């Protein structure tokens, strides 16, 4: 595994996991034990910082996606509430146009999303 994967998958003892990775990745003979210990120390400190930054970035991305979803669904609901208010006011044509364009936008987004992921699946 690359060092980044070891840091990301660490169970909490990043320094210990990095030291084990250095011991396994750099066989004896290529460098002295002191050099390995120094490398493990440096990577351990960097790894601890990277793990914290990685967690914060994932939380930030999750919050951004959640906010986007909430705002998107709120927009759809308000679009249909506006169409309903037009319908209640007797403006049937305006209500149908408002609802129609909202449905068209949803169908286009779903179709483009399906096309995009069918073309390049995860």
């Amino acid at each position: 595994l690359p060092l980044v994967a070891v840091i990301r998958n660490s169970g909490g003892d990043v320094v210990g996991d990095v030291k084990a990775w250095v011991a396994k990745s750099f066989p004896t003979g290529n460098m002295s034990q002191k050099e390995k210990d120094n490398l493990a120390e440096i990577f351990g400190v960097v790894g601890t910082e990277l793990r914290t930054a990685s967690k914060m970035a994932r939380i930030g991305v999750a919050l951004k996606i959640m906010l986007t979803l909430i705002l998107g669904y709120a927009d759809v609901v308000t679009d249909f509430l506006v169409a309903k208010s037009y319908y209640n006011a007797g403006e049937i044509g305006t209500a149908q146009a408002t609802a129609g364009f909202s449905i068209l936008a949803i169908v286009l987004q779903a179709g483009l999303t399906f096309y995009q992921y069918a073309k390049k699946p995860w």
Side-chain angles (χ1 to χ4, degrees):
L1 287 174
L3 179 60
V4 174
V6 171
I7 293 167
R8 186 181 323 136
N9 298 331
S10 174
D13 182 20
V14 178
V15 175
D17 292 339
V18 168
K19 283 183 180 179
W21 178 82
V22 168
K24 187 171 66 173
S25 298
F26 297 99
T28 309
N30 289 352
M31 59 177 50
S32 70
Q33 187 59 43
K34 183 164 177 55
E35 290 171 330
K36 279 186 180 181
D37 291 342
N38 288 340
L39 191 62
E41 181 83 24
I42 292 168
F43 284 168
V45 171
V46 170
T48 304
E49 294 297 321
L50 283 175
R51 183 170 167 82
T52 304
S54 172
K55 280 185 173 182
M56 296 302 288
R58 283 192 303 239
I59 291 170
V61 168
L63 290 175
K64 184 177 179 182
I65 290 171
M66 187 184 313
L67 180 63
T68 302
L69 284 173
I70 290 170
L71 291 175
Y73 285 125
D75 183 47
V76 169
V77 169
T78 57
D79 287 346
F80 285 104
L81 288 174
V82 167
K84 183 180 179 225
S85 69
Y86 283 137
Y87 183 78
N88 291 339
E91 298 181 35
I92 306 300
T94 307
Q96 289 174 342
T98 302
F101 279 116
S102 297
I103 292 169
L104 178 66
I106 292 169
V107 169
L108 284 175
Q109 288 175 2
L112 289 172
T113 302
F114 177 77
Y115 174 74
Q116 179 183 4
Y117 288 112
K119 197 168 136 182
K120 182 181 174 189
W122 290 77

